[in-house]
Amino acid sequence: MSSLLQGVNLYLIGMMGAGKTTVGKLLAQHLGYRFLDTDDVITKSVGRSINQVFAQEGEAAFRQLESDVLAQVCAYTHLTIATGGGIVLRQKNWSYLRHGLVVWLDVPVELLYTRIAEDTTRPLLEDADPKGKLRSLLEERKPLYSQADLKITLRAEATPEEIANRVIEAIPGVLKPKVSP
Ligand SMILES: Nc1ncnc2c1ncn2[C@@H]1O[C@H](COP(=O)(O)OP(=O)(O)O)[C@@H](O)[C@H]1O
Ligand SMILES: O=C(O)C1=C[C@@H](OP(=O)(O)O)[C@@H](O)[C@H](O)C1
Ligand SMILES: [Mg+2]
């Protein structure tokens, strides 16, 4: 499979709780790729948590850091990259994502909510109605996530391993043809 991808990076996109970080790690193992998480790169480079960046500098500053990270990582190959759920918001980010194969993990709000309801590491969900917030974010972002090369629809719980396998099985059908010299 890794020879089929020929080093092309795999970018996972989708909502908070979709499993990008969890499934991304498994995909990297299967593909013989390195794994990177844009949130992780940001927190390591600024020495603060995502919550702290949002609280101290605001979402716009976080989005700039996110774009900076994406611009840097897309220069490399053989990477599986779990992005933050809002990476799709900036049009400019798509020029980086398009260097690789973009996979959308499409998970319904009910499932997202059961996974992350107790999690306090996602500042956008510090809301009086977190489930409603997830719903409105998904509505707003759906047209953007739909620009992915590959959509993996998960209507019921499946294990991360099963989801990683579904992605791997679907990749050959969406590989971009090589431009001949
Ligand atoms: N397929 C899955 N089945 C059950 N729980 C999952 C699955 N994928 C992820 N999770 C759990 O859901 C939470 C969010 O997963 P995470 O990978 O951080 O999502 P994301 O990076 O898309 O926000 C974590 O607690 C993770 O363990
Ligand atoms: O959806 C979003 O806007 C965000 C998703 C988070 O990452 P995950 O999608 O990995 O939870 C993180 O980047 C930040 O809290 C903002
Ligand atoms: Mg994540």
Side-chain angles (χ1 to χ4, degrees):
M1 178 54 68
S2 50
S3 61
L4 191 60
L5 266 176
Q6 296 193 321
V8 167
N9 290 343
L10 207 63
Y11 292 94
L12 293 177
I13 66 169
M15 287 290 287
M16 292 173 262
K20 302 178 295 295
T21 301
T22 309
V23 175
K25 286 177 188 164
L26 293 173
L27 279 169
Q29 281 172 20
H30 283 298
L31 295 169
Y33 273 20
R34 274 183 62 206
F35 173 73
L36 280 180
D37 187 301
T38 55
D39 284 340
D40 198 40
V41 177
I42 291 170
T43 55
K44 287 199 173 108
S45 74
V46 300
R48 280 173 291 145
S49 68
I50 302 291
N51 275 339
Q52 285 171 323
V53 175
F54 267 73
Q56 294 164 2
E57 296 173 50
E59 181 173 350
F62 172 78
R63 296 295 172 209
Q64 186 56 49
L65 289 167
E66 195 169 54
S67 294
D68 294 345
V69 167
L70 197 58
Q72 284 164 17
V73 301
C74 78
Y76 297 88
T77 62
H78 300 85
L79 296 177
T80 298
I81 298 146
T83 63
I87 203 115
V88 296
L89 295 170
R90 284 189 167 194
Q91 187 57 37
K92 173 80 183 158
N93 289 350
W94 282 92
S95 64
Y96 305 128
L97 294 169
R98 292 264 171 248
H99 285 256
L101 198 75
V102 184
V103 179
W104 173 24
L105 299 183
D106 179 24
V107 176
V109 166
E110 291 298 329
L111 219 50
L112 297 174
Y113 186 69
T114 58
R115 289 181 185 171
I116 57 179
E118 306 300 321
D119 197 321
T120 55
T121 62
R122 291 175 172 86
L124 292 178
L125 295 185
E126 297 307 308
D127 191 275
D129 176 16
K131 197 191 272 190
K133 184 69 187 278
L134 275 174
R135 200 165 276 126
S136 65
L137 284 175
L138 180 55
E139 280 316 302
E140 180 192 323
R141 294 173 178 179
K142 223 183 242 172
L144 303 169
Y145 292 141
S146 299
Q147 297 180 65
D149 299 301
L150 175 61
K151 174 183 176 181
I152 301 291
T153 304
L154 301 155
R155 287 290 157 251
E157 278 293 10
T159 66
E161 194 62 53
E162 285 165 346
I163 298 165
N165 285 333
R166 275 188 61 186
V167 174
I168 283 176
E169 281 162 17
I171 286 174
V174 291
L175 280 177
K176 294 164 194 175
K178 269 198 145 235
V179 182
S180 26

